[in-house]
Amino acid sequence: KHSAVCCSDRFVASPMKRRDFIKYSTLTPLAAAFPSGAFTMPAQSTRENPQGTDAVTLFIAGDVMTGRGIDQILPHPGSPRIFEPYSRSAWDYVRLAEKANGPIPRPVDFAYIWGDALALLDEAAPDVRIINLETAVARRGEPWPGKGIQYRMHPDNIPCLSAAAIDCCVLANNHVLDWGYAGFEETLSSLSGSRLTSVGAGPDRAAAQTPAVFDLPGRGRVLVFAWGLPSSGIPATWAATARKPGVNLLPDLGQSAIRDVTDAVAAHRQAGDVVVVSLHWGGNWGYPIPDEHRRFAHALIDAAAADLVHGHSSHHPLGIEVYRGKPVIYGCGDLIDDYEGISGHEEFRIDLALLYLVTLERDTGDLRQLEMIPMQRRKFRLNRTVRNDSDWMRKVLDRESRPLGARVE
């Protein structure tokens, strides 16, 4: 039996039976989403651990961009030289952030950028931690011709990912080849050498399509598949082929793409597996969910038997849907970046971010619980939000999720 529980600083609710909705506590920067359910909240209770042998909890995040300005404050900064239309030094982004919010200490330790998120993740103890790593990890390489933005992190700064115990780095995105094939090959080898699993890109198409597999003793496996879409800015020439390294790219969201994903999942899925399909799609700004994104997400659940659709590319969180008991996160928003102090798009509050903790039933893959913890990026660090910011995020998520059949309260 699933019940709603409450304590002084968190609210967690679990599914009962009526309609899909999302619940967001006004007392704390925490939200929970559940399939098919109305609920009641006891006046007094204690928080239950949502995990157990009958459930799997995943931490998922949108873009984690630890290059450029972030790289410069870490213990082993690479060359700050960049080739952007308005900047030639990554230090420009550090200075913008400091102008907005004050001095940033440097060098910082590897855990610094995660700030308050580390304790929250440790408390949640997710089984697998998945991010979209939105940067090359390399010393070598030349900027991709004609590409105006280039991200890269020095390989010796990879411990900043290990500091948050990241398990899986999605690479099917529009920045992994920013520094050409030499930088891409170094990215793959650097991550592999640090025992970080990557997915969605590789030395050839077969490797790029191969899922990341995580064994959970006594509870089956978690399979993570990743694809990128041209709508996110991935050049068509980045697509991996039988003879060329690159990204696992879907040219569009048509029937052929659905078959490709379905066949890929079927080739690897075993009974009892939890399947995550991670997609880098869509633009950076704006809340509307394209109809083709909804149709494709539904097809992934209907045809490919996906248990979680993990979307990213948008710089801010998008609305959430629960379709046939499966969560669809259309856009997680950025988690870590160096955009602090950049003007424009203020209406999206890009200083705010979300940690997503998704708990799925082990036997069915259905959603048991979704917690979203708002954070604020300040001085290149993740901090807990104040109530006003938390409430703003709640209202936006409610507004954007209602058209998808969900509520945020």
Side-chain angles (χ1 to χ4, degrees), residues 28-191:
T28 174
L30 178 68
F34 353 88
S36 58
F39 67 91
T40 58
M41 185 175 71
Q44 297 291 332
S45 183
T46 58
R47 182 171 187 263
E48 297 176 351
N49 188 337
Q51 293 184 230
T53 58
D54 61 344
V56 173
T57 296
L58 309 174
F59 163 61
I60 63 171
D63 298 359
V64 171
M65 200 292 286
T66 52
R68 207 169 60 178
I70 302 292
D71 184 59
Q72 295 306 301
I73 70 166
L74 289 170
H76 304 288
S79 170
R81 190 181 184 193
I82 54 178
F83 301 87
E84 299 179 4
Y86 303 105
S87 176
R88 289 293 183 266
S89 175
W91 280 110
D92 290 342
Y93 291 89
V94 179
R95 286 189 282 267
L96 278 172
E98 292 185 322
K99 183 178 180 180
N101 291 312
I104 298 173
R106 51 189 181 265
V108 298
D109 61 36
F110 291 118
Y112 171 87
I113 59 175
W114 297 95
D116 296 336
L118 285 182
L120 295 165
L121 290 173
D122 287 346
E123 179 186 2
D127 296 294
V128 183
R129 304 184 185 201
I130 306 165
I131 64 170
N132 175 54
L133 182 61
E134 187 91 333
T135 184
V137 184
R139 290 165 292 231
R140 297 185 290 117
E142 296 295 329
W144 189 271
K147 197 167 187 297
I149 302 294
Q150 311 96 27
Y151 299 151
R152 68 172 163 182
M153 175 178 73
H154 193 287
D156 289 347
N157 283 332
I158 282 181
C160 77
L161 303 177
S162 304
I166 300 304
D167 297 298
C168 183
C169 297
V170 173
L171 301 182
N173 60 56
N174 60 317
H175 287 289
V176 70
L177 271 93
D178 277 358
W179 292 86
Y181 289 110
F184 177 64
E185 291 168 5
E186 189 176 3
T187 297
L188 295 178
S189 62
S190 296
L191 293 173

Side-chain angles (χ1 to χ4, degrees), residues 18 30 41 49 51 62 72 95 111 129 181 185 208-209 213 223 277 285 297 329 334 343 380 391 395:
R18 193 175 299 168
L30 178 68
M41 185 175 71
N49 188 337
Q51 293 184 230
Q72 295 306 301
R95 286 189 282 267
R129 304 184 185 201
Y181 289 110
E185 291 168 5
Q209 291 180 346
V213 180
L223 273 56
V277 175
W285 307 105
I329 316 297
D334 291 357
S343 61
F380 289 176
D391 191 53
K395 290 177 181 178

